[in-house]
Amino acid sequence: DQQVKQNSPSLSVQEGRISILNCDYTNSMFDYFLWYKKYPAEGPTFLISISSIKDKNEDGRFTVFLNKSAKHLSLHIVPSQPGDSAVYFCAASKGSSNTGKLIFGQGTTLQVKP
Amino acid sequence: DAGITQSPRYKITETGRQVTLMCHQTWSHSYMFWYRQDLGHGLRLIYYSAAADITDKGEVPDGYVVSRSKTENFPLTLESATRSQTSVYFCASTTTGTGFSPLHFGNGTRLTVT
């Protein structure tokens, strides 16, 4: 049973435009959400996170939105750059009671075309 | 250099053989994790450790053994490798046990079981 789902395996956008990556979850006990970026032959690297007490968190070109009622979060990248081309994973945690264990989605491959 | 390193980067082994994947971190992080990445599943937690000599099962622990005699090392052993264990394995660490500290990942070990 996939508790965190990324239903779009891939996304292609033009450089300079907005990239929107989506993630849905089923477990209402999740209280912290993270996005990781992964380049080929490298490990995932942390990008941005959001606590369930917030509905938006911004860091430079990256913004994460959380809609708890819909159990949905999204990552917006504006403007998109070719270097953003990577696999993006969303992940969820049950917080302090979960000793840092994360549940990951399947990943979305983003291609930003010059 | 400080960080988290995994070895080997690539490994081919035969069904039934024992194989050990190594993980070493220089941050003195208390928590360490092993994940496997498979197409369609994202990353799934195999085992984790809260401190030296403290380990616990994750989502997919069957067929794996871990140990943590020193804080900086967290080896993962496949006691009798099976083809279903062909995967990319990532080791990760973090400073606290809450869901609010992002995991730092190594660059992975690609394991093929023939």
Side-chain angles (χ1 to χ4, degrees), chain A residues 1-2 31-32 34 36 38 41-46 51 87 89 93 95-96 98-107, chain B residues 9-10 31 33 35 37 40-43 45 48 57-59 90 94 96-108:
Chain A
D1 181 31
Q2 194 85 23
D31 58 0
Y32 209 77
L34 303 90
Y36 280 82
K38 184 185 179 304
E42 294 184 10
T45 56
F46 170 71
S51 165
V87 178
F89 292 99
S93 171
S96 59
N98 206 39
T99 60
K101 294 183 286 185
L102 298 179
I103 307 296
F104 284 84
Q106 307 97 310
Chain B
R9 288 299 309 273
Y10 303 92
Y31 283 82
F33 306 81
Y35 283 85
Q37 182 194 0
H41 291 279
L43 285 83
L45 180 64
Y48 68 101
K57 296 178 181 179
E59 182 184 356
F90 289 101
T94 190
T96 74
T98 73
F100 299 87
S101 290
L103 302 184
H104 302 273
F105 285 87
N107 283 330

Side-chain angles (χ1 to χ4, degrees), chain A residues 45-113:
Chain A
T45 56
F46 170 71
L47 193 57
I48 193 170
S49 63
I50 188 167
S51 165
S52 60
I53 63 174
K54 297 184 177 181
D55 55 17
K56 177 183 175 181
N57 189 28
E58 193 172 354
D59 184 1
R61 296 186 297 114
F62 303 91
T63 303
V64 56
F65 296 91
L66 176 62
N67 182 334
K68 283 181 290 183
S69 61
K71 294 191 178 66
H72 178 82
L73 65 155
S74 61
L75 174 68
H76 292 209
I77 306 174
V78 183
S80 301
Q81 300 173 353
D84 296 329
S85 297
V87 178
Y88 289 78
F89 292 99
C90 68
S93 171
K94 295 176 187 175
S96 59
S97 65
N98 206 39
T99 60
K101 294 183 286 185
L102 298 179
I103 307 296
F104 284 84
Q106 307 97 310
T108 296
T109 300
L110 173 65
Q111 182 185 29
V112 181
K113 297 180 179 179

Side-chain angles (χ1 to χ4, degrees), chain B:
Chain B
D1 290 340
I4 185 165
T5 56
Q6 295 183 235
S7 62
R9 288 299 309 273
Y10 303 92
K11 176 73 177 178
I12 300 174
T13 192
E14 295 177 342
T15 300
R17 296 224 182 226
Q18 182 182 82
V19 60
T20 296
L21 310 183
M22 305 302 293
C23 179
H24 175 78
Q25 53 105 353
T26 59
W27 290 307
S28 298
H29 286 171
S30 57
Y31 283 82
M32 296 187 74
F33 306 81
W34 275 106
Y35 283 85
R36 58 178 289 175
Q37 182 194 0
D38 303 289
L39 200 63
H41 291 279
L43 285 83
R44 292 179 292 175
L45 180 64
I46 304 170
Y47 267 97
Y48 68 101
S49 169
D53 297 322
I54 301 175
T55 62
D56 206 349
K57 296 178 181 179
E59 182 184 356
V60 288
D62 293 343
Y64 302 96
V65 174
V66 293
S67 62
R68 194 157 176 218
S69 57
K70 292 184 178 181
T71 300
E72 62 267 30
N73 297 323
F74 191 37
L76 176 73
T77 297
L78 288 68
E79 294 186 296
S80 178
T82 64
R83 289 195 181 88
S84 66
Q85 294 177 308
T86 292
S87 186
V88 182
Y89 292 85
F90 289 101
C91 179
S93 69
T94 190
T95 55
T96 74
T98 73
F100 299 87
S101 290
L103 302 184
H104 302 273
F105 285 87
N107 283 330
T109 294
R110 180 175 292 276
L111 176 68
T112 302
V113 183
T114 62

Side-chain angles (χ1 to χ4, degrees), chain A residues 14-33:
Chain A
Q14 210 62 38
E15 180 180 6
R17 304 296 292 270
I18 185 171
S19 295
I20 300 176
L21 294 94
N22 295 302
C23 180
D24 297 298
Y25 61 96
T26 58
N27 192 332
S28 58
M29 297 298 291
F30 290 144
D31 58 0
Y32 209 77
F33 303 89

